Amino acid sequence: MGANYSSLDDILEEDMHHWYTKFMKESPSGLITLFELKTMLQMNGMTEEASSYVDQVFVTFDMDGDGYIDFVEYIAAISLLLKGEINQKLKWYFKLFDQDGNGKIDKQELETIFKAIQDITRNYDVPPEEIVTLIYEKIDVHGEGELTLEEFISGARDHPDIMDMLSKMMDLTNVLEIIVSGQRKNAWEI
């Protein structure tokens, strides 16, 4: 087992047994709680929006809704983010944005998520209000101030600039690298 991985994909594919063993060693119960995830991501001192965003990410990764992320959910989430098809990612983004779970994304929900992402990434190049305005001008076809899943997916697919912006804003590679490097570092200490 070598420590020279060229990408996160290689880490996932290289040694699934090792990942499982490591996951079970760090989470003997076989489950990760929201608190453990925030600790793993070094979320101390983050804004309320950033903390709320991580809460929402946790909920979307907790596919069975039991309040924990198990190994299968963990690997499925990482695989989706790294290798998922565009429609799969857009559905996941929508679920993440739809904080109240009503099947629609309103401007406030979207703006809150974008503010949280900026707080986590420390990238404040474009104000969230401008991003939200652009998205709604281009893809809110009925002018209702909210988007359904279908509007969101077709709008993002029909506007490459919006798809590109969403992909950049929602890139969680840095978060995955924190998790992976923490696990790899500890794994090689064994």
Side-chain angles (χ1 to χ4, degrees):
M1 177 167 36
N4 296 324
Y5 295 107
S6 60
S7 72
L8 292 172
D9 283 344
D10 292 342
I11 293 167
L12 284 175
E13 294 171 5
E14 179 77 16
D15 193 348
M16 192 61 69
H17 176 72
H18 174 75
W19 272 88
Y20 181 75
T21 303
K22 184 65 184 138
F23 181 87
M24 292 305 291
K25 182 177 180 185
E26 291 188 8
S27 302
S29 67
L31 305 169
I32 296 175
T33 65
L34 176 59
F35 176 79
E36 289 168 332
L37 179 65
K38 286 184 176 182
T39 301
M40 190 184 305
L41 297 177
Q42 303 163 2
M43 293 295 297
N44 300 336
M46 283 288 168
T47 64
E48 186 177 324
E49 284 91 0
S51 182
S52 177
Y53 170 70
V54 174
D55 294 352
Q56 191 69 14
V57 168
F58 184 88
V59 167
T60 63
F61 286 171
D62 178 16
M63 296 170 200
D64 61 7
D66 65 357
Y68 301 95
I69 296 175
D70 63 27
F71 181 72
V72 172
E73 291 168 329
Y74 178 76
I75 291 298
I78 291 172
S79 294
L80 167 69
L81 294 174
L82 293 176
K83 302 184 219 180
E85 300 275 325
I86 299 231
N87 276 355
Q88 292 172 317
K89 287 184 179 183
L90 288 171
K91 285 178 184 176
W92 183 78
Y93 294 165
F94 186 88
K95 185 177 178 184
L96 182 65
F97 296 152
D98 183 17
Q99 294 177 319
D100 61 11
N102 71 350
K104 297 180 180 180
I105 306 169
D106 64 38
K107 292 180 180 183
Q108 184 61 42
E109 287 172 317
L110 202 55
E111 192 173 310
T112 299
I113 290 292
F114 288 154
K115 283 180 183 177
I117 292 168
Q118 287 184 336
D119 287 341
I120 292 170
T121 63
R122 306 279 196 242
N123 179 355
Y124 301 98
D125 291 346
V126 181
E129 302 82 17
E130 286 182 28
I131 298 167
V132 171
T133 299
L134 176 67
I135 289 173
Y136 278 84
E137 283 176 357
K138 290 192 174 190
I139 66 177
D140 183 12
V141 293
H142 302 294
E144 302 165 328
E146 54 188 18
L147 302 173
T148 64
L149 176 62
E150 294 77 24
E151 285 177 311
F152 180 73
I153 289 176
S154 65
R157 291 187 69 106
D158 292 347
H159 295 89
D161 56 334
I162 290 179
M163 189 66 213
D164 184 54
M165 181 177 52
L166 286 170
S167 295
K168 287 178 183 172
M169 292 266 322
M170 300 304 297
D171 181 9
L172 296 179
T173 304
N174 60 334
V175 171
L176 295 175
E177 286 173 351
I178 291 169
I179 293 169
V180 169
S181 64
Q183 288 184 338
R184 279 185 31 205
K185 177 183 173 201
N186 295 336
W188 308 131
E189 293 171 356
I190 300 173

